[in-house]
Amino acid sequence: MKSWPRLLLGGTLILLAACGTSGPKNDIFPTVGFVSQETIAHACRQHTVRREGTAGFEMLADGREAFLARLAMVEAAQRTLDVQYYIWRDDVVGTTFADRLLAAADRGVKVRLLLDNTTDAQVEVSSAALAAHPNIQVAFFNPMTDLKGIFAGNPIPVIGEIDRMQSRMHNKVLIADGTLIMGGGRNLGDAYFGIDRRHNMRDLDFIAAGPVVEAATRSFQLFWRSPLTRRGDPSKITDREREKLRDLRRHVTRKKRALAAKSGRPYPLSLNRAEALETLHQLVNRMIWAEYEFVADPPERMMRQGQVASPVWRKIETAVRKAKSDVVMHAAYFIPQNDTLELLRGATGRGVHVQVLTNSLASIDGVAAMGGIANRRAGVLDSGVSLFELNSHAADRKDYIHARRLTPLGMHTKGFVVDDRVSFIGSYNMDPRSKYINTETGVIIHSAAFAARLKSYLMKGLQPENSWHITRDASGSFLWAGQLANGQRAVRRIEPGASLVRRLTYCIYRCLPWEDLL
């Protein structure tokens, strides 16, 4: 790895070179203990060969690495941070990123936060005080009609908005300096990074450089400028909110440290600039440069939900339809309706080996969705697909859980490999909600080398010590076959590892006629 100017006198302020980017050239950015002349753009350009029509990609399966990569992007940014998320939880991860985004804005970075309006956001992120920062803009996508009085600001549906109320901006995107993008499945919350004290997820992201960032930025701009987005009006910020901003920095920092101490401080709460750039250097060095297709739903899908299939789905459909030998897929909420089952049946009918891993009753974070998964089991097996459900006590859960103790493991991954050549990572679940209701995003990568990396991760989840293979006996009853911690083979006739309360709830959900909303 090539070296770069590293440590200067702690606390010294210098001008950061723009290194070929189009941003301001005279901004001053203080750091904690270190300063560096290198930019994110320079870090990317140092170690990659730009080829027309290609971009650089690396996958991030481990929660710790995914956390540090995001943190490094925020800490190293000099000009802009565009942040688009569905869930931003009020926990260690959520508060840490609120704190670091505020610090980035304090040093001059222009920050735009775009959040889904139907899910509670982290308290400080959605506060009027944060929006009072001159370098931070906060916007909410798909807000309901504003009502007056005690209902002001609440998403109370009115006539004509009931359908839209259930729609979600499910995108998860972080763009730093228009140079690096992070995308995939993870929301901002402890469970998605393996540090929740009760339940954690195996999940999947990608980090990318090159022209794909421009495509992601265009998608972000469409949402940001959409009539369905409610942006704060700087002219309406009050003096009281500006005064609260002064206290917000100290409050968020104290809260972050308190939450981290309670959780055992599993991850760093900040990175200095040298550490951030070194982290990005390492990731860029690992990137595989390949042809790609970035795809994202337009924001207007919110107004056409239930009628038009997602463009992301169309790309997935095309990839599976062209499969010749092999499809390996992780789909956290695998609820294939009849047209999708026909697609899968067509693939297996021409000799394609299709393997799918989804959640089990014991592993899933939403029992309602499990009702949909279970109701489609028979159809999936009839289509010729090899179906697996995650073991909540998988042997490899130690690779994904970084909390003080091993918790049950769930699954939030959305990815697949076709014919050892075509890969997908994104936010799209193989369910009716992603196909017809939500907005989604993802990237298809055309590279045998990248496919080999992703397939290795996907295949590990299918091993008998990590998942249950679903089959049927001669009478047609379902069987769950796997391997116990002691290495002994096990076969179960009911969903393994689920509590009685969860089973009863699940039985009720299975009877409800609401698959189209799952």
Side-chain angles (χ1 to χ4, degrees):
M1 179 184 298
K2 296 180 181 180
S3 62
W4 70 91
R6 284 184 179 270
L7 311 182
L8 300 179
L9 292 175
T12 304
L13 304 182
I14 65 171
L15 301 180
L16 296 180
C19 296
T21 62
S22 60
K25 298 184 178 181
N26 297 314
D27 290 343
I28 296 176
F29 304 99
T31 61
V32 182
F34 299 94
V35 289
S36 169
Q37 292 179 329
E38 189 171 21
T39 65
I40 293 179
H42 187 241
C44 294
R45 192 164 57 248
Q46 285 275 88
H47 305 289
T48 58
V49 178
R50 293 289 293 273
R51 291 174 288 178
E52 186 176 355
T54 68
F57 298 92
E58 174 59 317
M59 55 170 278
L60 300 172
D62 176 57
R64 179 180 178 85
E65 187 172 49
F67 176 89
L68 291 175
R70 281 175 173 81
L71 192 59
M73 289 172 67
V74 172
E75 303 284 32
Q78 302 174 62
R79 298 184 293 111
T80 59
L81 284 165
D82 289 336
V83 186
Q84 183 180 16
Y85 276 97
Y86 168 48
I87 292 174
W88 192 313
R89 293 214 168 127
D90 200 8
D91 54 18
V92 178
V93 168
T95 306
T96 296
F97 279 98
D99 173 70
R100 301 324 298 157
L101 286 172
L102 184 55
D106 283 345
R107 67 174 186 265
V109 178
K110 300 296 184 183
V111 178
R112 294 190 294 180
L113 303 181
L114 179 56
L115 306 174
D116 182 77
N117 194 67
T118 52
T119 302
D120 289 338
Q122 200 267 354
V123 173
E124 285 73 30
V125 165
S126 57
S127 71
L130 186 72
H133 197 296
N135 289 331
I136 296 178
Q137 290 179 279
V138 181
F140 293 93
F141 185 73
N142 198 33
M144 299 300 108
T145 298
D146 288 331
L147 300 182
K148 305 299 182 182
I150 62 172
F151 297 112
N154 291 331
I156 306 295
V158 296
I159 295 174
E161 291 193 329
I162 294 176
D163 284 344
R164 190 157 66 89
M165 183 183 68
Q166 64 175 311
S167 302
R168 305 286 187 268
M169 183 191 73
H170 199 235
N171 311 40
K172 296 105 168 153
V173 172
L174 171 63
I175 304 171
D177 283 353
T179 303
L180 278 177
I181 176 181
M182 176 82 69
R186 286 184 175 92
N187 296 295
L188 291 182
D190 292 355
Y192 306 99
F193 295 87
I195 62 172
D196 191 87
R197 291 180 294 165
R198 295 164 296 180
H199 185 259
N200 287 286
M201 306 281 193
R202 62 182 299 165
D203 212 336
L204 186 64
D205 290 319
F206 68 88
I207 186 170
V212 67
V213 183
E214 299 169 14
T217 301
R218 287 194 295 271
S219 172
F220 182 92
Q221 287 286 87
L222 285 176
F223 278 85
W224 187 260
R225 295 172 178 170
S226 170
L228 295 172
T229 296
R230 182 175 62 204
R231 295 183 296 275
D233 184 351
S235 67
K236 295 183 179 180
I237 295 173
T238 66
D239 290 339
R240 179 177 175 79
E241 287 161 352
R242 293 188 182 93
E243 291 173 2
K244 287 182 178 179
L245 176 62
R246 299 171 188 171
D247 299 326
L248 187 64
R249 296 172 183 82
R250 289 190 299 272
H251 168 72
V252 172
T253 300
R254 287 196 300 267
K255 179 179 175 180
K256 174 186 70 173
R257 291 172 178 168
L259 289 170
K262 192 174 181 180
S263 69
R265 302 179 71 92
Y267 296 155
L269 302 182
S270 63
L271 296 175
N272 63 53
R273 185 165 176 75
E275 292 169 333
L277 286 166
E278 175 62 22
T279 298
L280 298 180
H281 267 286
Q282 292 176 4
L283 290 168
V284 170
N285 274 346
R286 286 162 35 189
M287 286 181 180
I288 292 173
W289 283 68
E291 294 181 353
Y292 67 93
E293 299 170 76
F294 180 85
V295 59
D297 293 332
E300 290 74 22
R301 261 181 56 79
M302 290 294 183
M303 309 306 293
R304 300 196 303 268
Q305 53 93 8
Q307 302 175 19
V308 180
S310 163
V312 183
W313 158 252
R314 294 301 183 197
K315 290 293 184 181
I316 294 172
E317 180 185 36
T318 298
V320 174
R321 198 174 297 282
K322 291 181 178 180
K324 297 179 179 179
S325 60
D326 182 62
V327 175
V328 183
M329 178 181 294
H330 283 197
Y333 312 108
F334 188 58
I335 310 174
Q337 294 185 301
N338 292 339
D339 54 347
T340 304
L341 289 174
E342 283 300 316
L343 174 69
L344 297 171
R345 187 176 293 109
T348 60
R350 61 180 183 270
V352 178
H353 186 206
V354 181
Q355 303 176 86
V356 176
L357 175 65
T358 191
N359 270 297
S360 65
L361 180 57
S363 71
I364 200 164
D365 57 336
V367 180
M370 193 65 213
I373 293 172
N375 287 340
R376 287 292 177 173
R377 277 195 195 114
V380 171
L381 295 183
D382 289 343
S383 73
V385 170
S386 294
L387 180 62
F388 300 80
E389 294 182 0
L390 181 67
N391 185 337
S392 63
H393 289 81
D396 69 349
R397 61 179 171 150
K398 61 183 182 298
D399 297 336
Y400 306 104
I401 298 173
H402 303 283
R404 282 175 168 171
R405 65 177 183 85
L406 286 179
T407 67
L409 182 67
M411 176 182 168
H412 200 248
T413 308
K414 309 97 165 51
F416 65 75
V417 172
V418 174
D419 292 345
D420 297 325
R421 179 72 191 181
V422 178
S423 304
F424 171 83
I425 300 175
S427 67
Y428 188 95
N429 293 304
M430 294 290 289
D431 60 11
R433 173 167 287 280
S434 284
K435 188 172 182 178
Y436 292 115
I437 300 176
N438 290 348
T439 64
E440 307 286 355
T441 187
V443 65
I444 291 180
I445 303 163
H446 300 271
S447 163
F450 189 90
R453 287 185 188 178
L454 178 54
K455 188 174 181 180
S456 176
Y457 161 77
L458 298 177
M459 290 301 297
K460 187 177 181 182
L462 303 184
Q463 300 310 303
E465 65 271 23
N466 297 323
S467 63
W468 301 98
H469 187 197
I470 314 301
T471 58
R472 284 185 288 194
D473 63 17
S475 68
S477 298
F478 293 109
L479 300 174
W480 285 259
Q483 182 176 300
L484 303 180
N486 60 9
Q488 182 180 353
R489 185 174 181 274
V491 178
R492 301 286 185 262
R493 291 188 171 273
I494 60 173
E495 288 88 347
S499 67
L500 178 60
V501 172
R502 179 163 279 225
R503 291 182 195 282
L504 293 174
T505 307
Y506 155 77
C507 288
I508 295 171
Y509 281 133
R510 289 194 66 177
C511 297
L512 298 177
W514 61 355
E515 184 183 79
D516 288 347
L517 302 180
L518 297 176

